[in-house]
């Protein structure tokens, strides 16, 4: 990858992963639903997995420089 797009993609994925993980943790801590109409445990687990995947993808993009 070229360094410019790799840095941009890595930062975007990293910010998305951190934002989603923080939002999910705050919603779970306040016992608020993470997603409406879905099991609270399942929605928190899926959101956690997606945020971890975004963080891993962002780290991978940044290591490809």
């Amino acid at each position: 990858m070229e360094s410019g797009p790799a840095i941009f993609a890595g930062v975007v994925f990293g910010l998305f992963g951190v934002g989603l993980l923080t939002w999910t943790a705050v919603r779970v801590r306040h016992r608020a639903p993470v997603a409406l109409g879905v099991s609270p445990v399942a929605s928190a687990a899926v959101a956690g997995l997606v945020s971890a995947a975004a963080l891993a993808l962002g780290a991978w993009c940044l290591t490809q420089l």
Side-chain angles (χ1 to χ4, degrees):
M1 288 181 106
E2 296 177 17
S3 62
I7 292 170
F8 178 75
V11 169
V12 168
F13 280 121
L15 287 174
F16 175 75
V18 167
L20 181 60
L21 189 62
T22 303
W23 180 80
T24 303
V26 168
R27 299 292 288 181
V28 168
R29 184 175 173 126
H30 290 138
R31 299 193 189 276
V34 177
L36 294 175
V38 183
S39 167
V41 175
S43 61
V46 170
L49 289 174
V50 170
S51 64
L55 287 170
L57 189 57
W60 179 79
C61 286
L62 292 174
T63 60
Q64 298 301 311
L65 296 177

